[in-house]
């Protein structure tokens, strides 16, 4: 690097680096996929001591005028400092994509009128039989306890003379406003929804309110368990559209295997009555309770002869056409998106040289297919001569099978998150071959799925373009970010390097791997309701094998890459992976009865403890709440006590305002607190990972129950390190030192504990002098983060010198064309990427120790593999190493 270029880089970094609190300072803010009027939510971190209050933050347009905004404090730097650490910023996009975030002691945000004076009013009555009412300008919504499972009533006041009976535009069908219908050998068992509770979530304010609706699906047959659901209804000041996030939990019996008593050895909480399952039992592969259909419904109050319209996209399914083609039909209309069918629970992928052509969308009217295309845009609008209602479903292609249907006879508009057209969703096993631990099992019961939709109530004169624009607010949402240098220097994740702030041959080591995984997600493609978001982990002989199930915190690596780049495609992939793994790769049921405490009757709590109440909740809480899944060919084939990572979920919470993420992370933190594996979980990688998980959850919640558990586990880590030559990770788990160093670095940043700082420095010296080689490059390069943190805390030159030596192994040559170039096939890109890599292979004497199968395949750190998503060699270390080397 030339001296001039180096000095310029220093000046840029100094200009963008967070500073001590000033009277007023500004951060560049960019809205990607900008659309005027789009709702924008982004999380912004602040360095310790810089921001005293969220009231000292505001948004400015490019011309310096203030944009009305809502700022929510998310967490602080306590206990080490009372200053603000993260805020959520919400505003409606103005005409341009470029903004400034102004903050400082003298900054005062213009007040947005709230309550009776504002354009968004929420009344939430939680008395028995109560309801929540939302008024957003000309839109009024009612959500009633015990009612439909979604919106009880929606009114649209087009005349501006107040809400009257004839303004009602839609109602929720009785007990069928949302639904999850099951199918077994006795036939379809239709669900009936009951809303039990509503309350406002963090992030609610004068411009944007989040109403959380909790309820239960019940079934007609006694052998089908009641199932919980949560719907988050997002309403916006003065707007007549809402965003909906709907989470269901599958409580069915997934297959017909013969249950046996005992626990599987790898998750056992005791030493007796262990089982590995019977591989000769054919019931493992025979489905029992399948999902026939799931979605939400509105009964429209429109005049007869209403016209329905939808949009199709011509051209290959993997390319977005320049403009959608709108299809109209008077009366009934349904649009359905289908894709590759699963055979024995597994979907065939594209070949290395050609994409499969099995995606198809069709529009039906009058029982006949009226139109076809490879893909549908994902919305249907129904309008009479006065007003209309449009529903759009996000990821209509990626999370197929999907459908939206208007039935003119009943005036029902149904959005199917799982469409019956694709056949019932089966959770049986693909095969009965034992897994890595020699057991056959099925962990599907208790998985969850979150779907996202938009509902737009509008006057009938609304054009196709306007419908498409508003649908895009959720179907193709804006993604906002501040200057990547700000994220990198804020200290909330330590100090890492933004993209382009280091040698290109090392920057490429990160970018190539991320782009390869994103390329395959859309080439294979890794789509489907219960698959989308996850990535596979081993590419050998032109084929992928096994879902990654987030090992090790793959989504967190993507969130870090988004902060480094501001790339909306990386944001999309990170959010999809976080949502998938917190839902599908976890156990959510039964929880046992949950008492929130907003009742006037003291006896209500005790009623939740009765046998009837416990039975109604699905039984006592399962001990497996919060544990994750081991990588396998199906998401529910194998669980493991050390395979759950909350870091990406919490990044989704901070950066995207994903409120569900904290809920699920707390369940995992509570799992650690139960200590159900005894001393087994208080040593080795389970201990290191639990410290990282608990540090994240404590930092977000400040709940002392997590602080107490974390303090004890950190003390154990330090004692074990002293007994193990100052190494924080056992030799068996050398690759898992990234858990130890990230977890303890996180703990140190929020406590300032000097013993932890010293332990991190001693571990860095240990790795410098006795490098971990038990997993060869996986464990050897896992030390990159340890050396980076050790140097940043001690400034010992020898640590930096060793760091530079190891990082040099990650240098990556350029590709002849960007990964995003249309000319690439999977085969040609795989070949080109292999030539760019310089990580050494394992020596023959090391490989001889493995089985014939393991010796025959390429190693886990091969550039084409996603096993552990390059986390132990690159993703969890290199961003921090580049910052340390640039010091």
């Amino acid at each position: 690097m030339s001296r001039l270029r180096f000095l310029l880089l220093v000046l840029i970094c100094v200009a963008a680096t967070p500073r001590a609190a000033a009277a007023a300072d500004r951060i560049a803010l960019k809205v990607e996929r900008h659309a005027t009027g789009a709702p924008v939510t982004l999380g912004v971190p602040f360095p310790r001591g810089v921001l005293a209050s969220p009231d000292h933050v505001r948004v400015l347009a490019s011309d310096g005028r203030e944009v009305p905004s809502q700022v929510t404090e998310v967490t602080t730097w306590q206990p080490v400092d009372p200053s603000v650490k993260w805020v959520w910023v919400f505003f409606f996009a103005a005409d341009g994509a470029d903004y400034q975030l102004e903050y400082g002691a003298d900054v005062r945000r213009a007040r947005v009128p709230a309550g009776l004076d504002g354009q968004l009013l929420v009344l939430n009555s939680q008395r028995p039989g109560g309801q929540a009412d939302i008024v957003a300008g000309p839109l009024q919504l009612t959500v009633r306890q015990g009612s439909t499972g979604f919106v009880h009533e929606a009114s649209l006041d087009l005349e501006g003379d107040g809400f009257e009976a004839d303004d009602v535009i839609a109602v929720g069908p009785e007990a069928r406003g949302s639904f999850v219908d099951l199918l077994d050998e006795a036939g379809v068992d239709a669900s009936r929804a009951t809303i039990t509770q509503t309350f406002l979530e963090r992030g609610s304010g004068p411009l944007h309110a989040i109403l959380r609706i909790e309820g239960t699906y019940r079934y007609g047959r006694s052998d089908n368990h009641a199932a919980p659901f949560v719907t988050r209804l997002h309403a916006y000041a003065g707007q007549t559209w809402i965003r909906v996030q709907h989470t269901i939990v599958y409580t069915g019996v997934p297959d017909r295997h013969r249950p046996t008593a005992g626990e599987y050895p790898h998750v056992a909480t005791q030493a007796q009555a262990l089982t590995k399952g019977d591989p000769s039992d054919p019931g493992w592969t025979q489905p029992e309770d399948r999902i026939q259909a799931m979605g939400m419904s509105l009964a429209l109050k429109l005049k007869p002869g209403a016209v329905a319209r939808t949009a199709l996209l011509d051209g290959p399914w993997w390319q977005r056409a320049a403009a959608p083609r709108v299809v109209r039909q008077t009366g009934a209309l349904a649009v359905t998106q289908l894709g590759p069918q699963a055979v024995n629970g597994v979907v065939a992928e594209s070949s290395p040289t050609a994409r499969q052509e099995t995606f198809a969308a069709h529009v039906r009217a009058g029982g006949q297919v009226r139109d076809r295309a490879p893909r549908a845009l994902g919305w249907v609008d129904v309008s009479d001569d006065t007003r209309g209602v449009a529903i759009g479903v996000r990821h209509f292609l990626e999370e197929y099978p999907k459908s939206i249907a208007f039935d003119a006879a009943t005036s029902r508009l149904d959005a199917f998150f799982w469409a019956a057209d694709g056949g019932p969703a089966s959770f049986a096993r693909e095969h009965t071959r034992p897994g890595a631990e020699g057991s056959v099992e099925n962990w599907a019961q208790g998985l969850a799925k979150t779907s996202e939709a938009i509902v737009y109530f509008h006057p009938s004169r609304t054009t196709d373009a306007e419908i498409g624009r508003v649908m895009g607010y959720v179907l193709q949402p804006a993604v906002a970010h501040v200057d990547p240098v700000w994220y990198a220097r804020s200290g909330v994740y330590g100090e890492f390097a933004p993209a382009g702030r280091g040698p290109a041959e090392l920057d490429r080591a990160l970018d190539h791997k991320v782009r390869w995984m994103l390329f395959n997600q859309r080439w294979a493609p890794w789509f489907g309701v219960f698959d989308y978001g996850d990535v596979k982990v081993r590419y050998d002989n032109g084929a992928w094998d096994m879902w990654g199930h987030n090992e090790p915190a793959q989504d967190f690596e993507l969130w870090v890459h988004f902060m480094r780049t501001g790339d909306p495609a990386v944001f999309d992939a990170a959010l999809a992976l976080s949502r998938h793994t917190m839902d599908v790769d976890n156990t959510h049921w039964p929880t046992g009865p949950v008492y929130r405490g907003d009742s006037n009757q003291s006896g209500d709590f005790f009623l939740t403890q009765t046998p009837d109440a416990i039975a109604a909740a699905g039984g006592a809480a399962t001990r497996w709440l919060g544990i994750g899944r081991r990588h396998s060919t199906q998401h529910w084939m194998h669980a493991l006590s050390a395979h759950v990572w909350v870091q990406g979920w919490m990044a989704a919470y901070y950066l995207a305002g994903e409120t569900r993420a904290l809920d699920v992370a707390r369940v995992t933190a509570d799992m650690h607190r139960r200590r159900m594996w005894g001393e087994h979980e208080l040593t080795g990688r389970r201990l290191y990972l639990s410290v990282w998980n608990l540090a994240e959850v404590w930092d977000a919640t400040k709940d002392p129950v997590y602080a107490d558990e974390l303090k004890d586990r950190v003390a154990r880590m330090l004692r074990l390190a002293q007994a193990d030559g100052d190494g924080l990770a056992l030799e068996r788990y050398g690759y898992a030192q990234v858990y130890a160093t990230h977890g303890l670095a996180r703990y140190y940043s929020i406590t300032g504990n000097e013993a932890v700082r010293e332990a991190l420095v001693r571990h860095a010296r240990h790795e410098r002098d006795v490098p971990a080689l038990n997993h060869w490059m996986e464990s050897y390069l896992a030390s990159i983060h340890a050396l980076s943190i050790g140097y940043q805390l001690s400034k010992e030159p020898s640590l930096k010198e060793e760091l530079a030596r190891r990082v040099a192994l990650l240098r990556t040559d350029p590709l002849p064309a960007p990964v995003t170039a249309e000319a690439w096939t999977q085969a040609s890109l795989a070949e080109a990427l292999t030539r760019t890599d310089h990580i050494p292979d394992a020596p023959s004497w090391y490989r001889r120790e493995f089985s014939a199968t393991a010796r025959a395949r390429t190693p886990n750190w091969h550039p084409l593999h996603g096993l552990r998503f390059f986390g132990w060699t690159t993703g969890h270390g290199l961003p921090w190493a580049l910052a340390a080397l640039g010091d």
Side-chain angles (χ1 to χ4, degrees):
M1 182 185 293
S2 69
R3 178 175 177 80
L4 179 60
R5 183 181 172 194
F6 176 76
L7 290 174
L8 180 61
L9 175 61
V10 169
L11 289 173
I12 291 172
C13 290
V14 167
T17 297
R19 295 179 280 142
D25 213 337
R26 294 180 180 181
I27 316 165
L29 191 162
K30 178 83 169 181
V31 177
E32 311 285 353
R33 296 199 297 250
H34 171 271
T36 301
V40 176
T41 297
L42 75 156
V44 181
F46 283 88
R48 191 170 74 187
V50 165
L51 183 66
S53 166
D55 297 327
H56 299 170
V57 179
R58 64 177 184 162
V59 177
L60 305 178
S62 57
D63 60 5
R65 289 181 298 176
E66 183 172 357
V67 177
S69 61
Q70 172 183 311
V71 180
T72 302
E73 180 184 296
V74 182
T75 192
T76 69
W77 283 92
Q78 289 177 330
V80 72
D81 189 274
S83 59
V84 176
K85 189 172 190 177
W86 281 96
V87 299
W88 290 330
V89 178
F90 176 87
F91 61 98
F92 295 108
D95 290 338
D98 294 308
Y99 301 83
Q100 296 283 327
L101 195 70
E102 189 175 51
Y103 68 94
D106 291 342
V107 173
R108 290 295 183 275
R109 185 171 61 258
R111 182 178 177 274
V112 176
L116 297 176
D117 301 323
Q119 284 286 295
L120 183 60
L121 177 67
V122 182
L123 297 87
N124 188 30
S125 171
Q126 281 303 289
R127 63 176 57 89
Q131 66 186 41
D133 292 283
I134 299 172
V135 180
L139 176 66
Q140 182 181 33
L141 301 170
T142 299
V143 176
R144 183 169 292 173
Q145 286 184 17
S147 186
T148 71
F150 183 40
V151 171
H152 174 74
E153 187 175 270
S155 297
L156 185 63
D157 176 23
L158 295 177
E159 300 84 5
D161 57 357
F163 295 102
E164 300 172 334
D166 61 357
D167 290 327
V168 175
I169 188 172
V171 297
E174 184 61 33
R176 294 285 291 175
S178 64
F179 53 89
V180 178
D181 300 334
L182 298 180
L183 173 68
D184 58 22
E185 60 184 0
V188 175
D189 196 353
S191 63
R192 293 186 60 81
T194 299
I195 294 174
T196 57
Q197 198 166 52
T198 58
F199 55 91
L200 288 169
E201 287 198 318
R202 181 187 295 271
S204 296
L207 293 177
H208 173 208
I210 309 168
L211 183 70
R212 174 167 169 159
I213 305 165
E214 294 187 352
T216 304
Y217 294 121
R218 300 190 183 278
Y219 296 92
R221 294 197 290 273
S222 60
D223 60 332
N224 287 327
H225 304 289
F229 68 85
V230 175
T231 300
R232 288 174 169 86
L233 192 159
H234 297 251
Y236 303 90
Q239 307 301 316
T240 62
W241 45 268
I242 58 174
R243 175 179 166 227
V244 180
Q245 291 173 288
H246 180 62
T247 302
I248 63 100
V249 176
Y250 171 71
T251 61
V253 177
D255 60 48
R256 300 179 185 175
H257 80 273
R258 296 182 298 273
T260 55
E263 297 173 341
Y264 298 106
H266 53 277
V267 293
T269 63
Q270 39 73 49
Q272 292 77 40
L274 300 182
T275 182
K276 290 194 173 183
D278 181 5
S280 68
D281 183 351
W284 291 107
T285 61
Q286 298 169 354
E288 178 63 16
D289 293 326
R290 292 172 286 174
I291 292 178
Q292 173 73 4
M294 67 179 181
M296 65 184 196
S297 295
L298 287 171
L300 308 186
K301 298 295 186 179
L302 300 178
K303 299 174 185 177
V307 176
R309 52 182 160 169
T310 189
L312 300 176
L313 291 169
D314 295 313
W317 62 263
W318 59 88
Q319 295 176 347
R320 184 164 183 141
R325 178 162 53 83
V326 176
V327 181
R328 285 179 172 76
Q329 174 69 38
T330 300
L333 176 146
V335 61
T336 301
Q337 179 71 60
L338 300 176
Q341 290 291 308
V343 178
N344 294 329
V346 176
V347 176
E349 298 183 358
S350 302
S351 77
T353 56
R355 296 182 195 256
Q356 57 176 300
E357 303 283 352
T358 50
F359 285 90
H362 61 256
V363 177
R364 288 185 177 272
Q368 302 295 320
V369 174
R370 178 179 166 184
D371 212 333
R372 299 178 186 272
R375 61 182 295 188
L377 201 56
W379 58 261
V380 166
D381 173 67
V382 185
S383 300
D384 61 18
D385 60 0
T386 305
R387 56 194 184 172
V389 180
I391 288 183
V393 177
R394 192 175 183 192
H395 299 311
F396 206 70
L397 176 80
E398 293 84 353
E399 294 188 351
Y400 75 91
K402 290 277 188 285
S403 184
I404 306 174
F406 173 61
D407 185 337
T410 61
S411 200
R412 283 271 298 272
L413 183 57
D414 296 296
F416 293 95
F417 303 141
W418 179 281
D421 308 60
S426 170
F427 301 95
R429 285 177 58 102
E430 170 199 6
H431 55 70
T432 61
R433 295 192 300 274
E437 274 73 28
S439 62
V440 184
E441 51 203 279
N442 188 330
W443 292 82
Q445 189 175 64
L447 64 76
K449 175 60 190 176
T450 300
S451 302
E452 191 169 6
I454 179 172
V455 185
Y456 178 29
F457 306 92
H458 61 84
S460 61
R461 62 181 178 273
T462 307
T463 64
D464 296 345
E466 177 68 6
I467 294 289
R469 183 179 70 85
V470 174
M471 293 290 103
Y473 291 165
V474 169
L475 305 191
Q476 190 74 1
V479 172
H481 60 87
V482 294
D483 187 332
V485 175
W486 181 266
Y487 294 117
R489 301 290 187 254
S490 68
V492 294
Y493 289 116
E495 187 173 343
F496 59 87
R501 298 296 195 269
E505 62 268 22
L506 293 177
D507 224 33
R508 285 192 293 264
L510 285 161
D511 198 62
H512 281 186
K513 291 178 173 64
V514 170
R515 301 298 164 186
W516 168 242
M517 300 309 292
L518 269 58
F519 173 91
N520 280 281
Q521 190 170 48
R522 301 198 73 82
W523 176 277
W526 294 325
F527 288 178
V529 169
F530 296 101
D531 290 344
Y532 180 63
D534 207 348
V535 295
K536 292 194 175 179
V537 296
R538 192 164 56 223
Y539 186 78
D540 266 317
N541 300 315
W544 285 96
D545 178 33
M546 298 194 302
W547 295 106
H549 297 164
N550 212 35
E551 183 179 7
Q554 297 166 317
D555 58 343
F556 179 64
E557 296 167 56
L558 287 174
W559 285 116
V560 171
H561 203 64
F562 166 69
M563 288 186 283
R564 296 182 69 247
T565 63
D567 188 328
V570 178
F571 178 96
D572 291 344
L575 183 57
L577 182 51
S578 288
R579 286 182 174 177
H580 169 88
T581 190
M582 74 172 75
D583 276 351
V584 179
D585 296 337
N586 215 316
T587 300
H588 303 270
W589 180 90
T591 61
V594 176
Y595 180 72
R596 181 170 164 80
D598 51 5
S599 166
N600 288 329
Q601 303 299 322
S602 302
D604 286 354
F605 165 74
F606 298 101
L607 290 174
T608 67
Q609 309 304 300
T610 65
D612 287 347
I614 293 172
T622 173
R623 67 186 62 194
W624 311 123
L625 281 174
I627 70 168
R629 306 291 182 262
R630 189 182 189 277
H631 46 81
S632 55
T633 56
Q634 289 175 283
H635 302 290
W636 40 81
M637 289 178 70
H638 208 60
L640 207 61
S641 56
H643 278 60
V644 59
W645 293 263
V646 310
Q647 295 72 30
W649 308 344
M650 294 310 305
Y653 176 72
Y654 292 132
L655 288 162
E658 188 77 358
T659 55
R660 171 166 169 74
L662 181 58
D663 291 349
V664 183
R666 289 191 77 139
V667 172
T668 290
D670 291 337
M671 176 270 293
H672 291 311
R673 290 180 56 232
R674 290 198 296 274
R675 294 193 175 190
M676 57 186 176
W677 290 291
E679 287 297 316
H680 173 66
E681 69 174 296
L682 298 175
T683 57
R685 59 179 176 171
R686 288 159 182 80
L687 174 61
Y688 320 147
L689 180 53
S690 70
V691 165
W692 197 10
N693 286 341
L694 285 162
E696 288 282 351
V697 175
W698 178 43
D699 193 20
T701 64
K702 311 304 180 187
D703 191 327
V705 299
Y706 301 125
D708 293 343
E709 182 68 24
L710 182 57
K711 182 178 179 181
D712 181 71
R713 289 179 182 245
V714 167
R716 286 171 180 267
M717 280 187 67
L718 301 192
R719 289 198 302 271
L720 291 171
Q722 290 177 342
D724 198 33
D726 290 332
L728 287 171
L730 291 170
E731 292 180 10
R732 165 67 176 86
Y733 301 113
Y735 61 86
Q737 63 181 291
V738 292
Y739 307 160
T741 55
H742 273 284
L744 289 182
R746 188 82 155 140
Y747 185 79
Y748 174 66
S749 74
I750 54 181
T751 64
N753 186 305
E754 280 300 308
V756 170
R757 188 194 71 82
E758 293 166 6
L760 285 165
V761 173
R762 286 196 297 268
H763 175 72
R765 295 193 196 108
H766 178 274
E767 282 301 314
R768 176 196 63 195
D769 300 335
V770 191
L773 290 168
N774 43 77
H775 284 70
W776 207 247
M777 286 297 105
E778 274 190 310
S779 52
Y780 183 68
L781 294 176
S783 64
I784 287 174
H785 184 260
L787 293 168
S788 303
I789 295 299
Y791 170 70
Q792 288 177 342
L793 294 175
S794 70
K795 302 303 180 184
E796 167 55 45
S798 64
L799 294 176
K800 186 175 183 179
E801 292 165 6
E802 182 60 25
L803 175 62
R805 247 190 306 274
R806 297 190 192 184
V807 163
L809 298 178
L810 295 173
R811 67 190 188 281
T812 304
D813 298 332
L815 287 165
V819 175
T820 53
E822 192 65 32
W824 290 113
T825 66
Q826 186 185 71
S828 63
L829 182 57
E831 182 181 357
L833 284 171
T834 301
R835 290 197 298 266
T836 69
D837 188 63
H838 291 277
I839 300 180
D841 200 350
S844 57
W845 59 263
Y846 175 85
R847 293 175 69 88
R848 282 197 298 270
E849 298 180 13
F850 293 91
S851 67
T853 302
R855 287 197 301 270
R857 67 177 186 238
T858 49
N860 290 342
W861 56 88
H862 191 276
L864 301 185
H865 282 354
L867 187 60
R868 290 92 179 197
F869 199 63
F870 70 86
W872 291 319
T873 62
T874 311
H876 285 316
L878 190 51
W880 291 267
L882 292 174
L885 293 173
D887 182 36

